[in-house]
Structure formats: structure tokens, C-alpha cells
Amino acid sequence: MDHAGSAGTLNARGKLLDEAIAVLRTLWNDEASSFSGEFFSFKDAYSFPKPARKGGIPILMGGGGEQVTLKLVAKYGDANNVGGGVENVKRKEEVLLEHCATVGRDPSEIERTVGIGTVFIRDDRAEAERLFHAAFDRNRIAEHWKDQPVGTPEDVAEKLAPLVQLGYRHLIAGMPATYDEESMSRLVNEVKPLLERG
């Protein structure tokens, strides 16, 4: 396989990623593959063993770049991951839907995943907040993240509900050291049922 071109600029790196994903899809799906692009070219290449999944290995793309990343998600992605709060996710969802329409992609084919931040759950809101701040101090994170899903199970469900309503059902939580097992358990056993009930 020849690798040509320069990937020095952000625009060029976006084009390189676009071609790289096209190359992978070609190698995963065709018996003998040929490809000619700006960065990659090959003729009659074989890739074995083929992935067991038809269509190849699922591609999850993380990031919300509106002109490059979300275009690539619309074109190739099996899943995307964004974050930054409800308003940011709403904006990225609108842009993704526009890109899907442009490339003729059914947006329901793309699994939506979202980074929800750092979760601390207790029956007492003040105790959940105390644990949250203690974890950031212990991990030497000077600026504590704002607007995090911290509080009672009901508080956390209320905070996450708008993301679920947008179609983001795969929620990825941050759990800083020392890994609060109670919050992990309560997120699954108490918050998840609240979100499923709506």
C-alpha cells in the first residue's frame, strides 16, 4: 500500500481519516480490493481474515467537529460520541442530521452515545456534592467540572432525561479514582429504571 500526500493541516487530516475509513470498509467487504485516493492507493489487495460482522468492525467516532467529524459520522459511522451538556448535544445532533440528509444516510443507523460527565449519587445531595469535590481534589484537578450529574437518583435522572429524549441511550459516565462503587451501582439500578420509565 502506498501512502502519499501530506497530512499536516487539520483539513488534510480530516481527508486522511475519510480515506482511511473508506480503505478499511473496502478491505473488510471486498474479496480483492483496489483503491486510489489522495493519500492511499493499492490494487488487488487482500485482507484476511474478514471481520465476522457483515460490513466490518463497527466504527465509533468521537467528537463534535461540525465540518469534518460529524460529516464522517454521517458518511461512515456506526456510532458517534459527543458530550458537553444538553445544549451542546442538541446542536451536534442537529448538525449530524443535516449531514445525514446531505449524504442520504438514515440517521437511525447510527447509535448515539454521550459522555455524561462525572456521576456521584447519594440520598443526600450535599453528600454527593462533597464526594464529587473530594474526588477532583484527590485527583489534583484544579478546576472542578460544572453542571455534572451529581445528587440523588432523581436529580441525576432529571439531568440525564433530556439526553435520552434526544435519542442518546448509550450513556458513558466518568468515574474518577477511587471509583465510587455506590454511584456505579445506583446509576444502573436506580437511575436507569427512572430514565426508562420516562
Side-chain angles (χ1 to χ4, degrees), residues 96-169:
L96 177 59
L97 293 176
E98 290 170 13
H99 289 315
C100 285
T102 299
V103 301
R105 177 92 186 271
D106 179 353
S108 70
E109 296 174 356
I110 304 166
E111 181 182 356
R112 309 304 204 281
T113 77
V114 62
I116 61 173
T118 300
V119 178
F120 280 90
I121 303 170
R122 291 297 187 273
D123 291 325
D124 178 64
R125 286 182 188 140
E127 177 63 4
E129 285 284 344
R130 185 190 72 73
L131 293 166
F132 164 73
H133 290 293
F136 272 63
D137 290 342
R138 185 174 48 255
N139 287 287
R140 297 183 182 148
I141 301 171
E143 187 175 337
H144 296 192
W145 297 352
K146 307 282 189 257
D147 200 27
Q148 298 297 291
V150 173
T152 67
E154 294 75 16
D155 293 335
V156 173
E158 183 179 340
K159 177 118 186 109
L160 301 178
L163 297 169
V164 174
Q165 290 163 2
L166 281 171
Y168 287 76
R169 302 216 180 331

Side-chain angles (χ1 to χ4, degrees), residues 69-118:
T69 306
L70 291 176
K71 278 183 184 177
L72 293 175
V73 170
K75 195 171 175 183
Y76 300 113
D78 296 295
N80 77 314
N81 183 264
V82 294
V86 174
E87 291 309 312
N88 188 59
V89 173
K90 279 184 188 175
R91 167 74 187 148
K92 302 307 178 182
E93 178 69 9
E94 290 169 4
V95 172
L96 177 59
L97 293 176
E98 290 170 13
H99 289 315
C100 285
T102 299
V103 301
R105 177 92 186 271
D106 179 353
S108 70
E109 296 174 356
I110 304 166
E111 181 182 356
R112 309 304 204 281
T113 77
V114 62
I116 61 173
T118 300

